[in-house]
Amino acid sequence: MVNAARLAVSPAAFLPSPGSPPVAWRVSDGLVGYEEAVAWMEARAAAIAAGRGPECVWLLEHPPLYTAGTSARAEDLVAPERFPVFPSGRGGQYTYHGPGQRVAYVMLDLTRRRADLRAYVASLEAWLIATLDAFNVRAERREDRVGVWVRRPEKGATVEDKIAAIGIRVRRWVSFHGISLNVEPDLTHFAGIVPCGVREYGVTSLVDLGHLVSMAEVDMQLRAAFEAVFGATVGAE
């Protein structure tokens, strides 16, 4: 069932207040280590909170790894020796990151927009759903499961797979961590965990659904959809 409360939240609620500078849009080539990414992200979030830097979205890929959110359960780490496991301050449970998955770390000052975490998560979901719609993929949010889901009728009438995950943290009303969208990751790598603690459903990707798109094409649609929900961006140095 679709979450009516989330649907009732207008994504436009997260447009910034008038006069706010555009969000810096940063894209990294190659694979970025998790600890390096978290250190940079935390420093940038602190700078935003202190008024010393603009908001930022950072797009990257990680090498294969698992992260444990603040609600992670030990029994959901099925293969602890398969890839490095990093504790993470974001909400949620175990998540996989790896090549072929677009991670977007989102550092926004929510006081410039709306200090409402539920509405913020709904806006992240709306961003992902609009991005996937550009590739003719109908994705949906769910009341009992954070993230973005696609129906798989070819597998069964009630089968759904997750195509994108959301895990956030907010400090001094500045967000960090963010979203991950499966473009063309190795889906077998998810078998080492119970993704986000959800055992009843699987995972999928754009390529798994038959959409052979490049990361550059995904990035272009992510940026366009982001600007519709969160406001203008500018290329980062």
Side-chain angles (χ1 to χ4, degrees):
M1 179 179 179
V2 175
N3 187 338
R6 289 183 189 163
L7 284 175
V9 177
S10 170
F14 270 86
L15 291 173
S17 55
S20 295
V23 177
W25 192 265
R26 183 186 191 208
V27 182
S28 289
D29 296 325
L31 302 180
V32 179
Y34 186 73
E35 292 174 313
E36 172 190 348
V38 170
W40 192 94
M41 178 172 48
E42 292 201 345
R44 184 56 171 265
I48 294 168
R52 293 185 284 101
E55 299 174 302
C56 182
V57 174
W58 183 14
L59 273 59
L60 55 82
E61 292 175 83
H62 285 306
L65 57 90
Y66 299 127
T67 65
T70 55
S71 301
R73 298 174 297 193
E75 62 270 24
D76 289 343
L77 182 57
V78 178
E81 304 301 325
R82 187 168 188 180
F83 298 124
V85 180
F86 295 94
S88 173
R90 61 162 176 79
Q93 302 185 41
Y94 281 104
T95 296
Y96 167 77
H97 294 312
Q101 181 191 73
R102 178 50 92 204
V103 173
Y105 289 131
V106 184
M107 292 148 274
L108 299 180
D109 183 351
L110 302 190
T111 64
R112 300 182 194 176
R113 300 163 184 276
R114 185 177 174 189
D116 183 329
L117 296 185
R118 187 177 69 174
Y120 174 54
V121 171
S123 294
L124 292 174
E125 291 171 334
W127 172 31
L128 286 162
I129 288 168
T131 299
L132 290 163
D133 185 64
F135 298 106
N136 296 314
V137 173
R138 182 183 177 184
E140 300 171 301
R141 53 175 69 87
R142 290 289 175 262
E143 181 177 4
D144 57 341
R145 294 172 258 136
V146 173
V148 174
W149 303 80
V150 294
R151 300 175 188 267
R152 306 299 302 273
E154 71 279 12
K155 295 182 177 181
T158 62
V159 176
E160 297 179 353
D161 287 338
K162 180 180 255 188
I163 193 167
I166 296 172
I168 67 167
R169 186 172 182 180
V170 173
R171 181 184 295 151
R172 297 172 62 189
W173 287 109
V174 174
S175 69
F176 52 115
H177 295 278
I179 62 100
S180 58
L181 174 60
N182 295 333
V183 180
E184 193 180 4
D186 185 337
L187 295 179
T188 67
H189 289 179
F190 285 87
I193 57 172
V194 178
C196 300
V198 179
R199 299 177 182 274
E200 298 84 359
Y201 302 94
V203 292
T204 189
S205 68
L206 279 165
V207 169
D208 183 51
L209 294 172
H211 298 271
L212 304 179
V213 298
S214 69
M215 196 66 78
E217 290 173 304
V218 171
D219 289 350
M220 181 177 66
Q221 297 302 334
L222 278 168
R223 188 169 185 175
F226 179 91
E227 291 189 336
V229 176
F230 294 101
T233 65
V234 62
E237 294 296 331

